[in-house]
């Protein structure tokens, strides 16, 4: 489809009363998934009940959660020594659970600090009195670039990093060299956006509300050897072993969120064709916007070029007044969620998996048109 | 509407392909609520986005969560010193958070043990090494009745009890006398089913998936003075003060679940007319089934008469074979969720708020017809 102007694309969206969603999270979901949820909402698989009413102990729901686990395993090519868990509380509860479960007695924990989310994760290790080592981001770049050269204490219980930083829009294109220490990553904002080698990872976690589904659940992938560290003395709901032993069904899980995740994973496998295909699309989407920025006189990218994120493109305009007028006009044209994080301002286009290439092309066209006029 | 036979009622339900839902949780939701969710699922309040896609920091969502809080306050007539919080992890995470946040140093915590859920709550206080005092259920009744006469250690940090016990189907018709100690109650299975005086309570909590909405969130009502006990040293996501200070928006909350809760509370206030009206309906529903049991030669109630629950009617048939045939035939006639808890077997009809009186009348008729035939 060749896009000549914004008008070529807008028609369809208005026909569906749907806007272009560039939200940072909760974020866009595939329209086909939303339609499926809607169609079957009163009668889940012929049960005569809504998905929100069926028992988490029913065969019907077991099929859903098992399918979600199997698809996760296939998409990430997980070997048998990895477990896929669903845990409530989002990435923020993982910030607490990780040091609680996985810090080894008398050994430090190491965090790479690349922004607000890494800082929050680190804080929870401090709160628990762990011996925390921090690898800082490059000085004076205000988190707009990632560290390249650092040494990890070999005694570290783990090396924690944030794979994608939503606020400034940076992303590890190559994961940090863990130097023999188990890697742990908060992948909330780029999980399932590209293929990667899981083997260096002891644990990966992702709040669902960017690439996977609605908020209210985190997917946690944990390697069996890490589970041996879990202290017996922890509260039941805060032990990773509880979720492994009970297959994430110790208590009632967020059934609706897991159901939507299963539909999104189905879309990812069957409609998109897997993570290699997804990455191609995501790269194309990101390059469409970065191209506009790189050719522009008014848009300035926030992240340094080598650290740029495929998921979140943060940019500024020359002054706040122009930013406000850009955001307002974008909103009037059906482009939503472009305001930068409340902690930094500016603009940001989040291009998660479910944001369509048509939406991104429309935005690129809009950005060019806005620049021409201004 | 006079019900002559099962056939009179079944028609409508088959027309809607909807079954009679007696699930113990997740459980029935009001059909009008489900229809509203479905109708607007692709376009929430004209935003052009699904409720699952909108930002938790948007005005749209703030309206939802604030409305849910306001309705909770009105329905329970809460004074200003109570806070309404939404916390992920269900009642099971509350089992952990309560002793962690509210046990006073050097003072015991007291639990009334009336069944499986109380036992689980107590266990989490033990895990944390608290000085736990347990008030047992009457001996030799196997949790089919509630304790009536007991003394509470005045030094107790709190007195915890489970207001309704889903497995054996017992319920406190009058709450235990706390003897000056702050009351804490797990009201997961009868919250919002009847009016009550909140003032003796320091904290009330309820997993949503019985009377309030889909699973994935607990409503916690906490009195300001209890928040003074929260130790500064707790992980951020495990402190009640975090949820008060950030109005349950420290991190991304389960937006969909809170949205459905708001719709259910709207239904409760505006369609049902409040908790006094809801209690009338619930009493009528329960008495329809207990009447069948009391007049029957084959159905035997599990709970002692004085401890009977309005929410969960547990009953047995003379032998397991007859139970199986009852459950099978009930299932074929559209009565779902009647199997007793996997830990005890037998039968159980859960009659939560959203179970309609017509469903209950149909079940009573079916039970009578089944007895006549057998």
């Amino acid at each position: 489809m060749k896009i000549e102007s914004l008008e070529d694309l807008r028609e369809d969206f208005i026909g569906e009363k749907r806007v272009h969603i560039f939200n940072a999270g909760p974020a866009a979901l595939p329209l086909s998934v939303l339609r499926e949820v809607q169609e079957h909402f009163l009668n889940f698989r012929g049960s005569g009940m809504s998905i929100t009413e069926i028992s988490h102990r029913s065969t019907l729901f077991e099929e859903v959660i098992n399918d979600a686990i199997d698809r996760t395993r296939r998409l990430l090519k997980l070997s048998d020594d990895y477990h896929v868990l669903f845990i409530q509380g989002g990435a923020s509860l993982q910030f607490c659970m990780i040091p609680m479960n996985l810090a080894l007695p008398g050994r430090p924990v190491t965090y790479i600090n690349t922004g607000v989310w890494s800082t929050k994760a680190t804080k929870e290790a401090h709160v628990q009195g762990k011996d925390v080592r921090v690898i800082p981001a490059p000085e004076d770049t205000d988190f707009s670039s990632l560290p390249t050269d650092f040494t990890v204490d070999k005694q570290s219980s783990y090396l924690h990093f944030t794979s994608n930083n939503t606020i400034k829009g940076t992303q590890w294109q190559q994961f940090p060299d863990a130097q023999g220490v188990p890697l742990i990553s908060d992948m909330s904002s780029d999980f399932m956006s590209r293929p990667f080698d899981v083997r260096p990872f002891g644990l990966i976690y992702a709040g669902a509300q960017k690439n996977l589904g609605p908020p209210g659940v985190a997917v946690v992938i944990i390697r069996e050897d890490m589970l041996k560290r879990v202290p017996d003395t922890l509260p039941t709901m805060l032990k990773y072993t509880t979720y492994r032993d009970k297959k994430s069904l110790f208590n009632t899980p967020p059934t609706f969120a897991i159901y939507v995740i299963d539909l999104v994973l189905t879309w990812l496998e069957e409609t998109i064709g897997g993570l290699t295909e997804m990455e191609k699309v995501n790269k194309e989407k990101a390059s469409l916007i970065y191209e506009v920025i790189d050719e522009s006189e008014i848009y300035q990218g926030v992240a340094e070029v080598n650290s740029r994120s495929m998921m979140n493109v943060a940019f500024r305009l020359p002054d706040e007044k122009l930013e406000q007028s850009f955001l307002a006009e974008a909103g009037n044209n059906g482009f939503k969620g472009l305001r930068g994080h409340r902690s930094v301002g500016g603009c940001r286009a989040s291009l998660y998996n479910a944001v369509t290439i048509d939406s991104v092309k429309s935005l690129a066209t809009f950005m060019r048109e806005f620049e021409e006029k201004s």
Side-chain angles (χ1 to χ4, degrees), chain A:
Chain A
M1 183 178 182
K2 194 152 180 292
I3 310 301
E4 300 289 350
S5 92
L6 187 59
E7 292 305 316
D8 293 348
L9 280 165
R10 209 166 44 177
E11 204 72 25
D12 274 353
F13 267 68
I14 289 170
E16 284 168 346
K17 292 181 192 148
R18 189 159 165 83
V19 296
H20 299 288
I21 303 172
F22 294 98
N23 288 350
L29 288 169
L31 187 56
S32 60
V33 165
L34 295 174
R35 286 211 172 107
E36 182 161 348
V37 174
Q38 183 181 45
E39 185 182 344
H40 301 291
F41 193 69
L42 291 190
N43 189 355
F44 180 67
R45 297 191 185 164
S47 65
M49 307 182 211
S50 170
I51 176 66
T52 56
E53 301 176 306
I54 66 166
S55 170
H56 58 297
R57 311 253 174 234
S58 64
T59 314
L60 275 173
F61 184 72
E62 271 176 19
E63 281 171 16
V64 170
I65 192 167
N66 290 338
D67 194 59
I69 292 168
D70 291 347
R71 289 184 185 280
T72 302
R73 305 192 75 89
R74 284 199 298 271
L75 283 159
L76 295 174
K77 301 192 193 338
L78 296 183
S79 57
D80 287 347
D81 54 341
Y82 284 94
H83 303 275
V84 179
L85 313 177
F86 295 97
I87 304 183
Q88 294 184 56
S92 295
L93 189 64
Q94 294 309 305
F95 299 164
C96 311
M97 281 179 69
I98 287 165
M100 205 178 273
N101 280 268
L102 304 178
L104 291 163
R107 308 241 313 251
V109 295
T110 303
Y111 286 76
I112 306 181
N113 188 13
T114 56
V116 167
W117 302 110
S118 308
T119 307
K120 285 185 186 232
T122 310
K123 186 191 157 201
E124 297 305 319
H126 276 297
V127 164
Q128 293 172 38
K130 306 299 179 192
D131 174 13
V132 183
R133 311 288 163 84
V134 177
I135 296 168
E139 264 180 63
D140 302 328
T141 71
D142 198 20
F143 293 131
S144 66
S145 68
L146 299 171
T148 45
D149 209 25
F150 50 82
T151 312
V152 180
D153 183 334
K154 299 277 188 294
Q155 284 296 303
S156 298
S157 302
Y158 54 78
L159 174 65
H160 179 283
F161 74 104
T162 313
S163 60
N164 181 76
N165 301 280
T166 52
I167 294 176
K168 295 294 176 81
T170 65
Q171 184 179 29
W172 293 86
Q173 296 309 329
Q174 282 211 301
F175 291 143
D177 176 6
Q179 303 165 34
V181 165
L183 271 179
I184 291 184
S185 185
D186 176 0
M187 292 200 184
S188 294
S189 53
D190 66 355
F191 190 60
M192 295 284 185
S193 71
R194 54 181 173 175
F196 65 94
D197 181 4
V198 173
R199 286 171 300 176
F201 289 90
L203 186 147
I204 292 161
Y205 62 105
Q209 68 273 14
K210 320 279 191 185
N211 271 332
L212 280 183
V217 68
V219 177
V220 174
I221 293 168
I222 189 164
R223 206 170 54 205
E224 180 63 27
D225 62 311
M226 302 299 281
L227 289 161
K228 297 196 173 68
R229 301 182 178 189
V230 177
D232 276 345
T233 51
L234 291 180
T236 310
M237 286 290 286
L238 300 173
K239 287 159 94 160
Y240 287 120
T241 43
T242 300
Y243 296 85
R244 176 200 55 189
D245 296 345
K246 299 292 183 181
K247 299 187 171 174
S248 304
L249 294 169
F250 170 74
N251 72 334
T252 316
T255 48
F256 179 79
I258 294 171
Y259 159 67
V260 179
I261 288 174
D262 184 44
L263 295 178
V264 171
L265 295 173
T266 305
W267 168 84
L268 201 45
E269 262 196 307
E270 296 177 12
T271 305
I272 300 297
L275 297 186
T276 304
E277 291 305 312
M278 191 73 254
E279 183 180 36
K280 274 187 209 158
V281 178
N282 285 331
K283 277 190 171 159
E284 188 182 347
K285 286 171 356 193
S287 66
L288 282 164
I289 305 299
Y290 284 122
E291 221 173 82
V292 175
I293 289 172
D294 290 340
E295 291 169 5
S296 161
E297 305 280 318
I298 63 164
Y299 305 112
Q300 180 156 16
V302 171
E304 290 192 6
V305 174
N306 292 335
S307 299
R308 276 178 171 176
S309 165
M310 279 196 306
M311 295 281 102
N312 310 92
V313 181
F315 56 96
R316 306 294 313 230
L317 280 82
D319 58 68
E320 267 193 44
K321 206 181 140 205
L322 203 58
E323 278 174 355
Q324 292 311 316
S325 111
F326 172 82
L327 289 169
E329 199 165 318
N332 292 338
N333 281 278
F335 301 100
K336 302 293 183 180
L338 290 170
R339 192 178 295 280
H341 190 267
R342 63 212 148 91
S343 64
V344 295
C347 307
R348 171 175 55 172
S350 295
L351 309 176
Y352 300 124
N353 285 354
V355 175
T356 64
I357 193 125
D358 284 354
S359 276
V360 179
K361 284 178 178 167
S362 301
L363 176 62
T365 307
F366 169 79
M367 287 172 72
R368 288 207 167 90
E369 288 184 8
F370 183 87
E371 177 161 6
E372 271 166 38
K373 280 193 315 186
S374 69

